[in-house]
Amino acid sequence: MTLPDFTIADIPIYGRLILAPMDGISDAAFRLLTRRLGSAYSVSEFINTLDYANQKNYQKKRLLTSTEERPFVAQLLDNDAVRMAECAARIEEEFHPDMIDINMGCAAKSVAGRGAGVGMMRNPKLVRDAFALVSQAVKVPVTAKMRLGWDSSSLNFLELANLAAENGAKAIALHGRTGKISFQKPARWQPIAELKRAFPNLPIIGNGDVLTPADARRMLDETGCDAVMIGRAAKANPWIFSWRLREEVSLQEVAETTLWQFDEMLANDPENAIMPFRKYLKAYLDPCQISRETMRALLTCGDETLLRQSIIQVFRGLGANL
Ligand SMILES: Cc1cc2nc3c(=O)[nH]c(=O)nc-3n(C[C@H](O)[C@H](O)[C@H](O)COP(=O)(O)O)c2cc1C
């Protein structure tokens, strides 16, 4: 029997790379793909528990999963600890996630402004209540995903990690930016090392600006974190979870993956697959030499049969055997 790389509460985790939750990107098909390629577990796109309480259908789609994808984590986003706890209990009963994560990182104005996401980092009482109440409401482990703080004058990740852990958090993912630092500025990894040193017995997951397998290795080595979460770089290179650069992936594999993902997205959501699929199609084809006209034709095609045929044709033209 192979030993897990680490555990979260009593859940064995195999692997040190994890797909970061990404609204509009980490859907069920993409998560399953990355799990098959080596991502150690899956986290849902955020579930706005206010919308969930109002029975918004789209929130439930985000909890679609399969046995193969487990461990599967449902991520909650809100500014109300009681509503989060009620929602966590309902999600646990209906969808049986293996863990519940609390989003303390989303910096969108509409979210942070109402005190949810990274807005939670300005409100230690909410952090304490959310972890305490959600941990009481569910049987599965609760985890946190946070930033360094609200802004550079309030770097309180150590204090809030402590509050979260005291109130039940079993792992902490840290994105090395504050809520006010844009993606244009580099993420800081040193605080990830500080967090690991402060909590040697708690799984710490580092996140921010891991673009290549070498970056992932470096973050693990430099910070001592237990695992690395990879977000934006995974969209064009899901193979990063097999420790491969995009250039190391054969055209044949890219072609087969593209078709598989399209079919899987169609199976999951037949009415609404084409639009969200386009961003992956573009990302997968960008490094290939195809004309602008061909790319435009693919990205504007609204008919699934025609699109499938066109994708096959384009990849055959590039040399794939389909
Ligand atoms: C398009 C997009 C959507 C995101 N959605 C979420 C989300 O739903 N929940 C969350 O915790 N973080 C979300 N994030 C943040 C990522 O999980 C991650 O922390 C961030 O992108 C930094 O990692 P990276 O440098 O590897 O991309 C999102 C990021 C992007 C780019």
PDB file of all heavy atoms in Angstrom, residues 293-321:
ATOM      1  N   GLU A 293      -8.170  33.194 -38.598  1.00  0.00           N
ATOM      2  CA  GLU A 293      -9.509  32.924 -39.149  1.00  0.00           C
ATOM      3  C   GLU A 293     -10.019  31.587 -38.618  1.00  0.00           C
ATOM      4  O   GLU A 293     -11.169  31.445 -38.237  1.00  0.00           O
ATOM      5  CB  GLU A 293      -9.491  32.870 -40.685  1.00  0.00           C
ATOM      6  CG  GLU A 293      -9.152  34.180 -41.370  1.00  0.00           C
ATOM      7  CD  GLU A 293      -7.689  34.548 -41.207  1.00  0.00           C
ATOM      8  OE1 GLU A 293      -6.830  33.683 -41.467  1.00  0.00           O
ATOM      9  OE2 GLU A 293      -7.401  35.700 -40.796  1.00  0.00           O
ATOM     10  N   THR A 294      -9.128  30.589 -38.603  1.00  0.00           N
ATOM     11  CA  THR A 294      -9.546  29.266 -38.127  1.00  0.00           C
ATOM     12  C   THR A 294      -9.931  29.356 -36.651  1.00  0.00           C
ATOM     13  O   THR A 294     -10.960  28.836 -36.230  1.00  0.00           O
ATOM     14  CB  THR A 294      -8.406  28.234 -38.307  1.00  0.00           C
ATOM     15  OG1 THR A 294      -7.979  28.308 -39.648  1.00  0.00           O
ATOM     16  CG2 THR A 294      -8.842  26.831 -37.970  1.00  0.00           C
ATOM     17  N   MET A 295      -9.091  30.055 -35.878  1.00  0.00           N
ATOM     18  CA  MET A 295      -9.389  30.195 -34.446  1.00  0.00           C
ATOM     19  C   MET A 295     -10.728  30.901 -34.279  1.00  0.00           C
ATOM     20  O   MET A 295     -11.575  30.483 -33.490  1.00  0.00           O
ATOM     21  CB  MET A 295      -8.269  30.973 -33.753  1.00  0.00           C
ATOM     22  CG  MET A 295      -8.440  31.106 -32.262  1.00  0.00           C
ATOM     23  SD  MET A 295      -8.125  29.570 -31.364  1.00  0.00           S
ATOM     24  CE  MET A 295      -6.451  29.854 -30.773  1.00  0.00           C
ATOM     25  N   ARG A 296     -10.935  31.970 -35.039  1.00  0.00           N
ATOM     26  CA  ARG A 296     -12.184  32.729 -34.909  1.00  0.00           C
ATOM     27  C   ARG A 296     -13.380  31.837 -35.260  1.00  0.00           C
ATOM     28  O   ARG A 296     -14.401  31.848 -34.570  1.00  0.00           O
ATOM     29  CB  ARG A 296     -12.154  33.975 -35.800  1.00  0.00           C
ATOM     30  CG  ARG A 296     -13.269  34.942 -35.429  1.00  0.00           C
ATOM     31  CD  ARG A 296     -13.232  36.255 -36.200  1.00  0.00           C
ATOM     32  NE  ARG A 296     -11.941  36.901 -36.226  1.00  0.00           N
ATOM     33  CZ  ARG A 296     -11.285  37.219 -37.341  1.00  0.00           C
ATOM     34  NH1 ARG A 296     -11.799  36.938 -38.531  1.00  0.00           N
ATOM     35  NH2 ARG A 296     -10.126  37.818 -37.285  1.00  0.00           N
ATOM     36  N   ALA A 297     -13.235  31.044 -36.321  1.00  0.00           N
ATOM     37  CA  ALA A 297     -14.346  30.162 -36.736  1.00  0.00           C
ATOM     38  C   ALA A 297     -14.667  29.161 -35.615  1.00  0.00           C
ATOM     39  O   ALA A 297     -15.837  28.918 -35.304  1.00  0.00           O
ATOM     40  CB  ALA A 297     -13.971  29.424 -38.018  1.00  0.00           C
ATOM     41  N   LEU A 298     -13.633  28.621 -34.997  1.00  0.00           N
ATOM     42  CA  LEU A 298     -13.868  27.655 -33.910  1.00  0.00           C
ATOM     43  C   LEU A 298     -14.565  28.331 -32.729  1.00  0.00           C
ATOM     44  O   LEU A 298     -15.492  27.781 -32.142  1.00  0.00           O
ATOM     45  CB  LEU A 298     -12.537  27.072 -33.415  1.00  0.00           C
ATOM     46  CG  LEU A 298     -11.836  26.057 -34.312  1.00  0.00           C
ATOM     47  CD1 LEU A 298     -10.460  25.728 -33.739  1.00  0.00           C
ATOM     48  CD2 LEU A 298     -12.657  24.776 -34.447  1.00  0.00           C
ATOM     49  N   LEU A 299     -14.088  29.538 -32.417  1.00  0.00           N
ATOM     50  CA  LEU A 299     -14.582  30.192 -31.198  1.00  0.00           C
ATOM     51  C   LEU A 299     -15.939  30.868 -31.377  1.00  0.00           C
ATOM     52  O   LEU A 299     -16.515  31.369 -30.416  1.00  0.00           O
ATOM     53  CB  LEU A 299     -13.556  31.209 -30.686  1.00  0.00           C
ATOM     54  CG  LEU A 299     -12.196  30.628 -30.291  1.00  0.00           C
ATOM     55  CD1 LEU A 299     -11.258  31.717 -29.786  1.00  0.00           C
ATOM     56  CD2 LEU A 299     -12.345  29.546 -29.216  1.00  0.00           C
ATOM     57  N   THR A 300     -16.436  30.869 -32.609  1.00  0.00           N
ATOM     58  CA  THR A 300     -17.767  31.460 -32.810  1.00  0.00           C
ATOM     59  C   THR A 300     -18.784  30.399 -33.216  1.00  0.00           C
ATOM     60  O   THR A 300     -19.953  30.702 -33.392  1.00  0.00           O
ATOM     61  CB  THR A 300     -17.732  32.574 -33.884  1.00  0.00           C
ATOM     62  OG1 THR A 300     -17.067  32.057 -35.031  1.00  0.00           O
ATOM     63  CG2 THR A 300     -17.014  33.809 -33.372  1.00  0.00           C
ATOM     64  N   CYS A 301     -18.334  29.169 -33.386  1.00  0.00           N
ATOM     65  CA  CYS A 301     -19.252  28.102 -33.823  1.00  0.00           C
ATOM     66  C   CYS A 301     -20.222  27.763 -32.672  1.00  0.00           C
ATOM     67  O   CYS A 301     -19.799  27.502 -31.550  1.00  0.00           O
ATOM     68  CB  CYS A 301     -18.437  26.870 -34.222  1.00  0.00           C
ATOM     69  SG  CYS A 301     -19.480  25.501 -34.706  1.00  0.00           S
ATOM     70  N   GLY A 302     -21.501  27.758 -32.978  1.00  0.00           N
ATOM     71  CA  GLY A 302     -22.489  27.512 -31.927  1.00  0.00           C
ATOM     72  C   GLY A 302     -23.159  26.156 -32.043  1.00  0.00           C
ATOM     73  O   GLY A 302     -24.092  25.853 -31.294  1.00  0.00           O
ATOM     74  N   ASP A 303     -22.695  25.348 -33.013  1.00  0.00           N
ATOM     75  CA  ASP A 303     -23.334  24.050 -33.224  1.00  0.00           C
ATOM     76  C   ASP A 303     -22.377  22.948 -32.763  1.00  0.00           C
ATOM     77  O   ASP A 303     -21.249  22.853 -33.237  1.00  0.00           O
ATOM     78  CB  ASP A 303     -23.653  23.885 -34.718  1.00  0.00           C
ATOM     79  CG  ASP A 303     -24.297  22.550 -35.012  1.00  0.00           C
ATOM     80  OD1 ASP A 303     -23.564  21.539 -35.190  1.00  0.00           O
ATOM     81  OD2 ASP A 303     -25.541  22.507 -35.025  1.00  0.00           O
ATOM     82  N   GLU A 304     -22.846  22.114 -31.853  1.00  0.00           N
ATOM     83  CA  GLU A 304     -21.910  21.186 -31.214  1.00  0.00           C
ATOM     84  C   GLU A 304     -21.333  20.140 -32.180  1.00  0.00           C
ATOM     85  O   GLU A 304     -20.146  19.810 -32.100  1.00  0.00           O
ATOM     86  CB  GLU A 304     -22.535  20.515 -29.989  1.00  0.00           C
ATOM     87  CG  GLU A 304     -23.648  19.569 -30.295  1.00  0.00           C
ATOM     88  CD  GLU A 304     -24.366  19.104 -29.038  1.00  0.00           C
ATOM     89  OE1 GLU A 304     -24.938  19.955 -28.329  1.00  0.00           O
ATOM     90  OE2 GLU A 304     -24.360  17.899 -28.796  1.00  0.00           O
ATOM     91  N   THR A 305     -22.189  19.636 -33.120  1.00  0.00           N
ATOM     92  CA  THR A 305     -21.684  18.616 -34.060  1.00  0.00           C
ATOM     93  C   THR A 305     -20.635  19.239 -34.981  1.00  0.00           C
ATOM     94  O   THR A 305     -19.557  18.671 -35.204  1.00  0.00           O
ATOM     95  CB  THR A 305     -22.847  18.054 -34.906  1.00  0.00           C
ATOM     96  OG1 THR A 305     -23.927  17.765 -34.021  1.00  0.00           O
ATOM     97  CG2 THR A 305     -22.456  16.810 -35.657  1.00  0.00           C
ATOM     98  N   LEU A 306     -20.977  20.426 -35.478  1.00  0.00           N
ATOM     99  CA  LEU A 306     -20.051  21.112 -36.381  1.00  0.00           C
ATOM    100  C   LEU A 306     -18.749  21.464 -35.655  1.00  0.00           C
ATOM    101  O   LEU A 306     -17.655  21.301 -36.207  1.00  0.00           O
ATOM    102  CB  LEU A 306     -20.736  22.386 -36.908  1.00  0.00           C
ATOM    103  CG  LEU A 306     -19.960  23.161 -37.955  1.00  0.00           C
ATOM    104  CD1 LEU A 306     -19.742  22.314 -39.207  1.00  0.00           C
ATOM    105  CD2 LEU A 306     -20.732  24.448 -38.324  1.00  0.00           C
ATOM    106  N   LEU A 307     -18.885  21.915 -34.413  1.00  0.00           N
ATOM    107  CA  LEU A 307     -17.686  22.295 -33.653  1.00  0.00           C
ATOM    108  C   LEU A 307     -16.785  21.077 -33.444  1.00  0.00           C
ATOM    109  O   LEU A 307     -15.575  21.138 -33.635  1.00  0.00           O
ATOM    110  CB  LEU A 307     -18.092  22.920 -32.309  1.00  0.00           C
ATOM    111  CG  LEU A 307     -16.931  23.336 -31.387  1.00  0.00           C
ATOM    112  CD1 LEU A 307     -15.964  24.289 -32.093  1.00  0.00           C
ATOM    113  CD2 LEU A 307     -17.452  23.993 -30.113  1.00  0.00           C
ATOM    114  N   ARG A 308     -17.401  19.958 -33.095  1.00  0.00           N
ATOM    115  CA  ARG A 308     -16.617  18.740 -32.869  1.00  0.00           C
ATOM    116  C   ARG A 308     -15.859  18.361 -34.148  1.00  0.00           C
ATOM    117  O   ARG A 308     -14.658  18.059 -34.118  1.00  0.00           O
ATOM    118  CB  ARG A 308     -17.541  17.604 -32.427  1.00  0.00           C
ATOM    119  CG  ARG A 308     -16.814  16.518 -31.682  1.00  0.00           C
ATOM    120  CD  ARG A 308     -17.762  15.511 -31.050  1.00  0.00           C
ATOM    121  NE  ARG A 308     -16.991  14.686 -30.127  1.00  0.00           N
ATOM    122  CZ  ARG A 308     -16.127  13.766 -30.507  1.00  0.00           C
ATOM    123  NH1 ARG A 308     -15.931  13.540 -31.796  1.00  0.00           N
ATOM    124  NH2 ARG A 308     -15.437  13.080 -29.613  1.00  0.00           N
ATOM    125  N   GLN A 309     -16.595  18.396 -35.284  1.00  0.00           N
ATOM    126  CA  GLN A 309     -15.952  18.058 -36.567  1.00  0.00           C
ATOM    127  C   GLN A 309     -14.822  19.027 -36.880  1.00  0.00           C
ATOM    128  O   GLN A 309     -13.748  18.625 -37.349  1.00  0.00           O
ATOM    129  CB  GLN A 309     -16.975  18.133 -37.702  1.00  0.00           C
ATOM    130  CG  GLN A 309     -17.820  16.878 -37.824  1.00  0.00           C
ATOM    131  CD  GLN A 309     -19.028  17.117 -38.732  1.00  0.00           C
ATOM    132  OE1 GLN A 309     -19.222  18.201 -39.256  1.00  0.00           O
ATOM    133  NE2 GLN A 309     -19.831  16.066 -38.913  1.00  0.00           N
ATOM    134  N   SER A 310     -15.061  20.297 -36.618  1.00  0.00           N
ATOM    135  CA  SER A 310     -14.029  21.305 -36.925  1.00  0.00           C
ATOM    136  C   SER A 310     -12.796  21.106 -36.058  1.00  0.00           C
ATOM    137  O   SER A 310     -11.662  21.252 -36.536  1.00  0.00           O
ATOM    138  CB  SER A 310     -14.563  22.716 -36.702  1.00  0.00           C
ATOM    139  OG  SER A 310     -15.785  22.874 -37.347  1.00  0.00           O
ATOM    140  N   ILE A 311     -13.012  20.774 -34.797  1.00  0.00           N
ATOM    141  CA  ILE A 311     -11.850  20.549 -33.908  1.00  0.00           C
ATOM    142  C   ILE A 311     -11.034  19.378 -34.448  1.00  0.00           C
ATOM    143  O   ILE A 311      -9.798  19.440 -34.533  1.00  0.00           O
ATOM    144  CB  ILE A 311     -12.314  20.263 -32.463  1.00  0.00           C
ATOM    145  CG1 ILE A 311     -12.984  21.494 -31.858  1.00  0.00           C
ATOM    146  CG2 ILE A 311     -11.145  19.829 -31.580  1.00  0.00           C
ATOM    147  CD1 ILE A 311     -13.687  21.250 -30.520  1.00  0.00           C
ATOM    148  N   ILE A 312     -11.737  18.303 -34.844  1.00  0.00           N
ATOM    149  CA  ILE A 312     -11.037  17.124 -35.378  1.00  0.00           C
ATOM    150  C   ILE A 312     -10.230  17.522 -36.615  1.00  0.00           C
ATOM    151  O   ILE A 312      -9.041  17.190 -36.742  1.00  0.00           O
ATOM    152  CB  ILE A 312     -12.042  15.990 -35.698  1.00  0.00           C
ATOM    153  CG1 ILE A 312     -12.633  15.454 -34.380  1.00  0.00           C
ATOM    154  CG2 ILE A 312     -11.387  14.863 -36.510  1.00  0.00           C
ATOM    155  CD1 ILE A 312     -13.740  14.435 -34.539  1.00  0.00           C
ATOM    156  N   GLN A 313     -10.892  18.297 -37.479  1.00  0.00           N
ATOM    157  CA  GLN A 313     -10.213  18.717 -38.719  1.00  0.00           C
ATOM    158  C   GLN A 313      -8.955  19.532 -38.428  1.00  0.00           C
ATOM    159  O   GLN A 313      -7.906  19.312 -39.029  1.00  0.00           O
ATOM    160  CB  GLN A 313     -11.173  19.592 -39.503  1.00  0.00           C
ATOM    161  CG  GLN A 313     -11.520  19.027 -40.860  1.00  0.00           C
ATOM    162  CD  GLN A 313     -12.581  19.900 -41.502  1.00  0.00           C
ATOM    163  OE1 GLN A 313     -12.662  21.104 -41.256  1.00  0.00           O
ATOM    164  NE2 GLN A 313     -13.417  19.274 -42.325  1.00  0.00           N
ATOM    165  N   VAL A 314      -9.091  20.481 -37.492  1.00  0.00           N
ATOM    166  CA  VAL A 314      -7.952  21.341 -37.168  1.00  0.00           C
ATOM    167  C   VAL A 314      -6.796  20.513 -36.604  1.00  0.00           C
ATOM    168  O   VAL A 314      -5.647  20.636 -37.036  1.00  0.00           O
ATOM    169  CB  VAL A 314      -8.368  22.454 -36.176  1.00  0.00           C
ATOM    170  CG1 VAL A 314      -7.154  23.146 -35.580  1.00  0.00           C
ATOM    171  CG2 VAL A 314      -9.267  23.465 -36.870  1.00  0.00           C
ATOM    172  N   PHE A 315      -7.111  19.606 -35.663  1.00  0.00           N
ATOM    173  CA  PHE A 315      -6.026  18.802 -35.079  1.00  0.00           C
ATOM    174  C   PHE A 315      -5.435  17.835 -36.118  1.00  0.00           C
ATOM    175  O   PHE A 315      -4.226  17.606 -36.113  1.00  0.00           O
ATOM    176  CB  PHE A 315      -6.516  18.058 -33.837  1.00  0.00           C
ATOM    177  CG  PHE A 315      -6.460  18.889 -32.579  1.00  0.00           C
ATOM    178  CD1 PHE A 315      -7.620  19.284 -31.932  1.00  0.00           C
ATOM    179  CD2 PHE A 315      -5.241  19.297 -32.057  1.00  0.00           C
ATOM    180  CE1 PHE A 315      -7.569  20.057 -30.776  1.00  0.00           C
ATOM    181  CE2 PHE A 315      -5.176  20.072 -30.893  1.00  0.00           C
ATOM    182  CZ  PHE A 315      -6.341  20.453 -30.256  1.00  0.00           C
ATOM    183  N   ARG A 316      -6.290  17.311 -37.012  1.00  0.00           N
ATOM    184  CA  ARG A 316      -5.739  16.448 -38.084  1.00  0.00           C
ATOM    185  C   ARG A 316      -4.795  17.243 -38.956  1.00  0.00           C
ATOM    186  O   ARG A 316      -3.715  16.781 -39.323  1.00  0.00           O
ATOM    187  CB  ARG A 316      -6.870  15.889 -38.944  1.00  0.00           C
ATOM    188  CG  ARG A 316      -7.496  14.648 -38.350  1.00  0.00           C
ATOM    189  CD  ARG A 316      -8.468  14.026 -39.331  1.00  0.00           C
ATOM    190  NE  ARG A 316      -9.176  12.923 -38.724  1.00  0.00           N
ATOM    191  CZ  ARG A 316     -10.399  12.551 -39.026  1.00  0.00           C
ATOM    192  NH1 ARG A 316     -11.081  13.205 -39.977  1.00  0.00           N
ATOM    193  NH2 ARG A 316     -10.970  11.538 -38.437  1.00  0.00           N
ATOM    194  N   GLY A 317      -5.197  18.487 -39.251  1.00  0.00           N
ATOM    195  CA  GLY A 317      -4.355  19.363 -40.083  1.00  0.00           C
ATOM    196  C   GLY A 317      -2.995  19.618 -39.441  1.00  0.00           C
ATOM    197  O   GLY A 317      -2.002  19.815 -40.109  1.00  0.00           O
ATOM    198  N   LEU A 318      -2.973  19.588 -38.105  1.00  0.00           N
ATOM    199  CA  LEU A 318      -1.712  19.828 -37.389  1.00  0.00           C
ATOM    200  C   LEU A 318      -0.897  18.540 -37.261  1.00  0.00           C
ATOM    201  O   LEU A 318       0.249  18.562 -36.787  1.00  0.00           O
ATOM    202  CB  LEU A 318      -2.012  20.379 -35.994  1.00  0.00           C
ATOM    203  CG  LEU A 318      -2.596  21.800 -35.930  1.00  0.00           C
ATOM    204  CD1 LEU A 318      -3.185  22.086 -34.551  1.00  0.00           C
ATOM    205  CD2 LEU A 318      -1.526  22.833 -36.264  1.00  0.00           C
ATOM    206  N   GLY A 319      -1.535  17.402 -37.618  1.00  0.00           N
ATOM    207  CA  GLY A 319      -0.784  16.128 -37.581  1.00  0.00           C
ATOM    208  C   GLY A 319      -1.295  15.108 -36.584  1.00  0.00           C
ATOM    209  O   GLY A 319      -0.692  14.032 -36.440  1.00  0.00           O
ATOM    210  N   ALA A 320      -2.392  15.414 -35.880  1.00  0.00           N
ATOM    211  CA  ALA A 320      -2.899  14.419 -34.912  1.00  0.00           C
ATOM    212  C   ALA A 320      -3.629  13.303 -35.650  1.00  0.00           C
ATOM    213  O   ALA A 320      -4.167  13.506 -36.740  1.00  0.00           O
ATOM    214  CB  ALA A 320      -3.841  15.106 -33.928  1.00  0.00           C
ATOM    215  N   ASN A 321      -3.663  12.158 -35.000  1.00  0.00           N
ATOM    216  CA  ASN A 321      -4.295  10.993 -35.610  1.00  0.00           C
ATOM    217  C   ASN A 321      -5.654  10.767 -34.933  1.00  0.00           C
ATOM    218  O   ASN A 321      -5.734  10.119 -33.901  1.00  0.00           O
ATOM    219  CB  ASN A 321      -3.348   9.802 -35.399  1.00  0.00           C
ATOM    220  CG  ASN A 321      -3.886   8.551 -36.049  1.00  0.00           C
ATOM    221  OD1 ASN A 321      -4.840   8.621 -36.827  1.00  0.00           O
ATOM    222  ND2 ASN A 321      -3.297   7.415 -35.714  1.00  0.00           N
TER     223      ASN A 321
END
